[in-house]
Each structure stands twice: as structure tokens, then as C-alpha cells.
Amino acid sequence: MRRDLLNIRQRRSFSDGSSTRFFALVDAMAHQQMPTITQLDALQSSYESTGKFLSEREEFGGLLTQIHSHGSRHLGTLVKPADESRDGFDIDLIARFDPRASERYGDPNGPSRLLSQLNKALADYANAHGLTLQRHDRCVTLRYAGGMCADIAPVIDNPMVSIVYGETHGLIPDKVLCSFESTNPRGYSKFFNEVASIAALFPAMEAATFAADSVRKAEIVPLPSARDVFDRLLCRFVQVIKLHRNFKFGPHSGDVDLKPSSVFITTLATLAYKDQAPNPHNSPLELLLDIVETMPSMFYRERLAAGNEEWHLPNPAAPRSNLAGEMNTPVRQEAFTRWIDLLFSDIEAILIAIEAREGMHEVVACVAQGFGPRSARAVRDALFAEQQSTRLSGKANFLTAAATPVAVASRQHNFFGS
């Protein structure tokens, strides 16, 4: 088994001003992805309602101890679904069970029985609230009328003192494997938050302070403050990377989905940030580009006898779980490698347009080409608002080639889809 070597690219040089302008556009794209107050209220209400309902169900024999969130909303890396016909957001929930549940569900049919009981309970909830339900191999999905989805997965506490974050280690049932698999959503959140708290070094810039998150403990653990988790630099980086992935791969269609999972690319970006953030950088832009370059070196590649590669990315909080498991086909591996190259080149294209002062139209067109029409609209609106402000103040604006906002029609790029 070996660690992949870093792919060194010929990198263009960009001015500090271009870096600053680029991250203003990143902020516009990221803020467009954040839920509105109304959507946050809907997320919170649905989360609490679902949690309260499950906590009162009798079929779990009092072994269900806690409902808590995890995933992108919890971490602050949330982006809207790739399917633009959906305006809602997705939330991931864990139904946490006492360790004694391992005895109750420890027989060969136990994993399937636990998922069936969760499915039955949520079917009652769905029928009572006019929702639709979909069962998966490890979770159950509730689909709400407003476009929001909630994935609820059962996890049995199974502490392991021999691993980092082992006190929150758990077991998740897998219907296909007919077994319980290693997982640790709470430990993963701790891992991510610890890395996100690392202050990036920008000696030439004023030190920035990023919010630290705080999560209270309760039977139904409240969602963390949106401001606390969405405003961290690592979260911005992950959002940008996920936005690019969503657009380039497009909505899933057909039998094969080549899109790398969110947890796979979030873990790679987090490990790359942990590796690169302590090193001095001239700007956040330089750090972002280093992270993109470093991501392919953050997992292990084992050369097999047949000439193929098997990728390994141990879950930082549950090492027995390989987060790269779904990437182990040649077509998925090739798609990932091509996508990383596109991510780097599309960021550079935007920077070239900014550096050349090509104007609003060209900048927005580059954003549309790399990140899609939704992001392009957010950037266009932000640039137009700034242009109006600078015009009123009589100051010059860096966008000199376009005087009015331009709607950019962008063809969906399903480079990796069927």
C-alpha cells in the first residue's frame, strides 16, 4: 500500500487583489447556498418534530436514547441539491441507541429488523404528516412537500477505547451486508471541528478570527448555530468544492452514479486543510489551490495484481470504515482524477478573467462554466449590487468591460454522468 504522490502543476501567479475579488465571489456563491431564515425554521421544526416522534415510539423498548444531526448542515458545508428543480435542503439525522440494543438486534436478522422497525415508525409519521418515505440500505428518507429531505439512520453505541474519538463509536445496520458496520458520526464532527479551528497562516494579511462551534447535549440535540458553522474558512472551501462537483457531474441519472460522495471529498479537503493550513500562504486563494492539489494525496492507493488500484481512506473517527470503498472501480477513479483537474482549471479561469479586468459578463460566464447557472446568478447579483454602490459613490470598479448585468445561459455539463 502506498500514498499517492502530490501532483505538481504549473501554477499561474495572481495578484493579491485578484485573490480578494475571487473570495468575494466565493462568499456570494456560498451565501446563496445557505438556507433562508424561513428554511432554517422549517429544518429546525421538522428535525425536532421527527426526533420527538421517534423518541416516543414503544417498539424500540426504551433503547432509543438520542436524536442528533450530522452531515453537511451540522458541519456547515451545506449546499443545495444538484437538481435545480428542488429548492429544499437535505438534513441527516442519527437515531442513537443504547449499547444494550446490540443484544436485542445481535442475531443474523437483527440489522434488517432494526431498519424495518425504523421504517415502520417513520411510515406512521409520514402518513400523519402527508410525507413520502423511501427505504435505503442503511437509512430511511423522509421527503417533505417543500423539497426538503431527511435521512434518518439508526446507530447503536459501541465505544472503542483503542481509537481516536472512540468514545462515540457506533454500529450502523446494513441491509445488503446483513451486518452492523463501523461508524462514528459524532466523532467525525469532532474531527472536522478540530481541523476547522486551525487558524490558517497569512503573514501578509491581517489575522482573521473564525467562529468556534458549540453544541449542547440534550435528548434531541439542537442544531448548531448557522452562523457558528457556516462562517469558517474550511467550510467555505468544502462548499466551493462540492458546488463544482455537483455541477460537473450533474444530477444522478441512469444506473451508474460516478459522483464522489460528499463524505469522501469533505474528508479529503479536511485532511488537506490540516496538512496545508499551518504553512504560511500569501492568501486564502493560494491555500485553496494547495488544498485542491493535495486532495488526491490524502488517501492510499494499493496496486492490485490485475493492474487496477484499490483506494483506501479510513474514516478518521471509525478506521474500519473505508470512505473510498465506493470509488473502487476504474471508471469512478478516472472520473475523480479528471474532475480534480477541472476544478483546478475552472478556478484558474475565473481568476484569469478577474486579473485581466475583463468585466462582469466574462467573470459571470466563467463562474457559470465551472459552477453552474445557480452560482452564476448569485455572483451576477453580487457584482451588480457592488457596481451600483460604487457608481453612486463615484469610485472606480474593477469590472470595467460591462456596464449592466448579463444573464448567462449555461449548458449543464454532465461530464461524468450517463
Side-chain angles (χ1 to χ4, degrees):
M1 186 179 293
R2 66 181 180 83
R3 194 168 187 170
D4 186 48
L5 299 176
L6 184 64
N7 180 25
I8 304 300
R9 305 168 190 270
Q10 290 295 323
R11 188 182 293 182
R12 292 173 178 264
S13 177
F14 298 101
S15 67
D16 291 343
S18 294
S19 172
T20 300
R21 300 306 306 183
F22 175 77
F23 269 88
L25 306 187
V26 167
D27 264 353
M29 289 190 286
H31 279 291
Q32 197 269 345
Q33 297 295 316
M34 290 179 62
T36 64
I37 296 298
T38 300
Q39 289 172 322
L40 279 173
D41 288 344
L43 282 170
Q44 182 74 26
S45 175
S46 300
Y47 164 67
E48 292 178 351
S49 174
T50 306
K52 185 175 185 297
F53 179 86
L54 287 176
S55 67
E56 296 173 350
R57 295 290 292 199
E58 296 181 356
E59 60 259 60
F60 301 121
L63 296 173
L64 179 59
T65 61
Q66 190 181 68
I67 306 295
H68 66 84
S69 66
H70 75 111
S72 58
R73 168 60 184 91
H74 193 83
L75 301 179
T77 60
L78 189 66
V79 297
K80 291 182 177 179
D83 182 0
E84 289 208 31
S85 65
R86 285 184 54 207
D87 191 43
F89 287 85
D90 299 338
I91 186 170
D92 301 305
L93 304 179
I94 294 297
R96 181 182 163 203
F97 286 79
D98 185 274
R100 293 173 297 161
S102 292
E103 300 177 8
R104 180 170 183 170
Y105 299 102
D107 59 279
N109 295 323
S112 180
R113 189 167 67 256
L114 177 53
L115 284 167
S116 295
Q117 289 181 349
L118 179 65
N119 185 74
K120 181 180 182 302
L122 289 172
D124 291 344
Y125 181 84
N127 291 334
H129 294 82
L131 311 177
T132 59
L133 192 71
Q134 185 175 2
R135 180 171 173 172
H136 301 284
D137 294 337
R138 294 191 176 189
C139 68
V140 179
T141 298
L142 282 172
R143 298 185 180 276
Y144 296 80
M148 188 184 79
C149 291
D151 290 339
I152 303 102
V155 171
I156 299 175
D157 281 352
N158 180 245
M160 296 182 66
V161 297
S162 61
I163 64 172
V164 180
Y165 314 110
E167 68 278 4
T168 56
H169 180 267
L171 299 172
I172 186 170
D174 189 295
K175 181 182 176 183
V176 174
L177 300 176
C178 298
S179 64
F180 285 97
E181 300 298 307
S182 176
T183 190
N184 195 349
R186 290 181 295 154
Y188 188 92
S189 293
K190 290 179 183 178
F191 153 74
F192 184 91
N193 291 333
E194 287 175 4
V195 176
S197 70
I198 297 173
L201 297 181
F202 305 117
M205 303 172 65
E206 292 184 359
T209 302
F210 301 99
D213 88 318
S214 174
V215 181
R216 300 192 305 275
K217 299 295 183 181
E219 182 179 4
I220 300 176
V221 182
L223 291 172
S225 162
R227 180 179 296 277
D228 283 350
V229 296
F230 281 105
D231 287 342
R232 300 178 292 183
L233 184 60
L234 174 57
C235 298
R236 281 288 187 267
F237 289 162
V238 174
Q239 282 180 307
V240 168
I241 292 168
K242 288 169 65 175
L243 279 173
H244 188 272
R245 175 208 60 177
N246 285 355
F247 178 62
K248 289 301 182 180
F249 284 89
H252 173 47
S253 62
D255 297 329
V256 179
D257 185 5
L258 300 181
K259 182 188 301 180
S261 69
S262 289
V263 70
F264 178 64
I265 62 174
T266 297
T267 304
L268 292 182
T270 305
L271 292 171
Y273 181 91
K274 181 180 181 181
D275 182 71
Q276 292 292 325
N279 302 326
H281 287 82
N282 291 328
S283 67
L285 167 64
E286 187 180 80
L287 175 57
L288 173 60
L289 293 176
D290 275 351
I291 286 171
V292 173
E293 276 191 337
T294 306
M295 282 172 62
S297 72
M298 290 292 105
F299 58 90
Y300 295 87
R301 304 169 186 239
E302 182 180 8
R303 180 70 66 177
L304 303 179
N308 297 336
E309 289 185 342
E310 185 171 288
W311 292 3
H312 300 268
L313 178 63
N315 185 325
R320 288 186 297 175
S321 174
N322 180 16
L323 300 181
E326 294 183 351
M327 301 299 297
N328 284 323
T329 65
V331 65
R332 282 196 171 99
Q333 293 172 358
E334 181 184 358
F336 172 80
T337 302
R338 287 194 293 138
W339 167 64
I340 287 290
D341 287 338
L342 282 173
L343 172 58
F344 196 93
S345 61
D346 285 337
I347 290 174
E348 276 203 334
I350 297 171
L351 287 161
I352 291 169
I354 294 173
E355 189 89 348
R357 302 174 67 88
E358 292 182 354
M360 181 186 295
H361 177 83
E362 290 302 322
V363 171
V364 174
C366 288
V367 172
Q369 178 71 20
F371 294 88
R374 184 185 279 161
S375 295
R377 289 192 295 269
V379 166
R380 180 201 63 198
D381 292 345
L383 291 178
F384 182 57
E386 181 190 20
Q387 192 175 71
Q388 294 294 91
S389 176
T390 54
R391 182 178 294 161
L392 290 174
S393 67
K395 296 178 181 178
N397 190 286
F398 92 114
L399 296 169
T400 58
T404 57
V406 179
V408 176
S410 178
R411 177 175 60 86
Q412 181 71 37
H413 296 285
N414 292 315
F415 290 126
F416 308 103
S418 53

